[in-house]
Amino acid sequence: MPTTSPSMTDVLDAARLIAPHLPRTPMWSYPVLDGRLGVRTLVKHENTQPTGAFKVRGGINLLARMPEGQRAAGVLTYSTGNHAQSIAYAARLFGVPCTVVMPENPNPAKVAAVEALGALVEVKGATMVEAGEYAAGVAKDRGNRLVSPADDAALISGVATLYLEMLSDHPDLDAIFVPVGAGTGAAGACLVAKAVAPRCRVIGVQSSQAPAAHDSWRAGELVRRPMRTAADGLATGSAYPLPQGIMRRDLDGFALVTDDEIRAAQRLLLTEAHTLSELAGAAALAALVAAKDEFAGRTVGIVCSGANAGPAELGLLLPAA
Ligand SMILES: *Cc1c(COP(=O)(O)O)cnc(C)c1O
């Protein structure tokens, strides 16, 4: 069951809780990129996080707030990617035992990354939905705290600190583009923008090859959609009630981009911003490229949300010369 929507006070608490563990990430602009787009573009570099993605902000906030008495019982979550690394990283930081359930045929590199953080990986279920059902059952049996990939106020207020950093450094931003999978990042952006920069538009971005969050937001109800995107971080087949509720209230727009457009933006980040991004981490730039005429002469923030590109993705990014 979703917890209740976090408040700006929760975001400020989260900023205080994560500060000892995560330095503020840089936000840079790149003149050649600005010139090509005709937009002053500020890139928030979450690719520099220790786990290679922004989600670790949520994981640390969640574990930091966990009552002392619950810690020994451990946490259990289900994920294939960056959420798993976030929870495993935070659990190690606070000395909490951690189990991650991954659906069958997981990416071996991701299994290795989670295990290297000291978490136990269990492979179960054909899909994320089945992995989640299994996870709920064993968490109950073993007395672990079950951590949802998105329906948790501590995850949303934790990742919202990214937007607190962005908008306190640059309250003049006309818009921010936020990549959306489950929607915690976009929900966090909405909370912060509403409170500290109400004129700044918050625009979600998803792949048209996995549009469950986008379609749910437009429909005003939770819908399922096929998942055919190569962008791991954006690949969710269903929508999550807690972030969707916040987005429904405060999100200003929601763009869809194709995987090809995302791949082109991933190359642009590499060549013009000397930044290695994973596909999901380039979606915000892809949406800005598509909307550059609308934002001509404006100042726009985009999030490079992660850098965990696997070997197959890297091969396509750098075709043999
Ligand atoms: C998870 C993830 C996203 C999407 O974030 P949500 O909070 O699930 O919407 C975007 N980019 C990367 C790199 C991610 O790992």
Side-chain angles (χ1 to χ4, degrees):
M1 265 287 108
T3 45
T4 52
S5 176
S7 66
M8 192 60 203
T9 311
D10 297 322
V11 180
L12 295 169
D13 282 345
R16 193 173 39 75
L17 288 171
I18 70 169
H21 307 291
L22 300 175
R24 224 177 158 86
T25 55
M27 186 151 83
W28 304 118
S29 66
Y30 301 90
V32 176
L33 184 63
D34 288 359
R36 282 181 63 155
L37 299 179
V39 180
R40 181 157 181 259
T41 307
L42 289 153
V43 183
K44 180 70 168 163
H45 283 289
E46 292 297 300
N47 53 296
T48 64
Q49 291 288 9
T51 54
F54 78 103
K55 286 195 179 70
V56 69
R57 295 172 180 271
I60 291 180
N61 186 45
L62 187 140
L63 269 289
R65 296 167 73 112
M66 198 170 170
E68 198 61 50
Q70 279 182 21
R71 290 186 178 176
V75 292
L76 186 145
T77 195
Y78 48 103
S79 160
T80 55
N82 290 334
H83 173 68
Q85 285 190 58
S86 156
I87 299 301
Y89 184 93
R92 186 183 65 169
L93 204 57
F94 293 97
V96 175
C98 175
T99 306
V100 176
V101 178
M102 293 190 181
E104 283 152 25
N105 304 314
N107 178 338
K110 293 189 169 163
V111 175
V114 171
E115 286 179 341
L117 290 166
L120 182 73
V121 174
E122 278 188 54
V123 177
K124 203 81 179 181
T127 61
M128 270 290 282
V129 173
E130 287 179 27
E133 283 163 5
Y134 171 79
V138 289
K140 203 165 175 206
D141 292 347
R142 298 178 196 164
N144 301 141
R145 157 98 185 256
L146 179 69
V147 179
S148 162
D151 278 326
D152 191 303
L155 296 180
I156 294 174
S157 53
V159 298
T161 59
L162 188 177
Y163 300 95
L164 184 61
E165 291 177 14
M166 264 181 119
L167 288 168
S168 44
D169 287 350
H170 285 277
D172 57 326
L173 290 176
D174 292 303
I176 46 187
F177 283 78
V178 181
V180 177
T184 63
C190 288
L191 287 174
V192 173
K194 200 84 191 164
V196 309
R199 282 183 45 257
C200 174
R201 290 174 64 197
V202 179
I203 300 165
V205 184
Q206 207 170 28
S207 170
S208 53
Q209 286 150 261
H214 168 274
D215 290 5
S216 296
W217 181 77
R218 293 224 179 267
E221 61 177 352
L222 305 182
V223 301
R224 287 174 180 259
R225 288 292 180 263
M227 218 169 58
R228 300 191 190 98
T229 178
D232 293 351
L234 310 183
T236 42
S238 57
Y240 291 82
L242 184 60
Q244 278 286 334
I246 298 167
M247 288 192 281
R248 200 168 297 153
R249 197 181 61 211
D250 290 332
L251 191 70
D252 298 299
F254 208 143
L256 288 176
V257 287
T258 65
D259 277 19
D260 283 347
E261 289 174 302
I262 296 175
R263 216 177 292 286
Q266 189 186 26
R267 284 212 181 92
L268 207 53
L269 281 171
L270 192 63
T271 57
E272 312 306 348
H274 37 88
T275 297
L276 173 65
S277 149
E278 62 185 278
L279 284 169
L285 177 58
L288 176 59
V289 169
K292 65 183 170 33
D293 294 342
E294 185 188 342
F295 290 94
R298 303 287 181 86
T299 304
V300 172
I302 62 167
V303 186
C304 177
S305 51
N308 293 322
E313 204 179 304
L314 289 173
L316 288 169
L317 180 60
L318 295 174

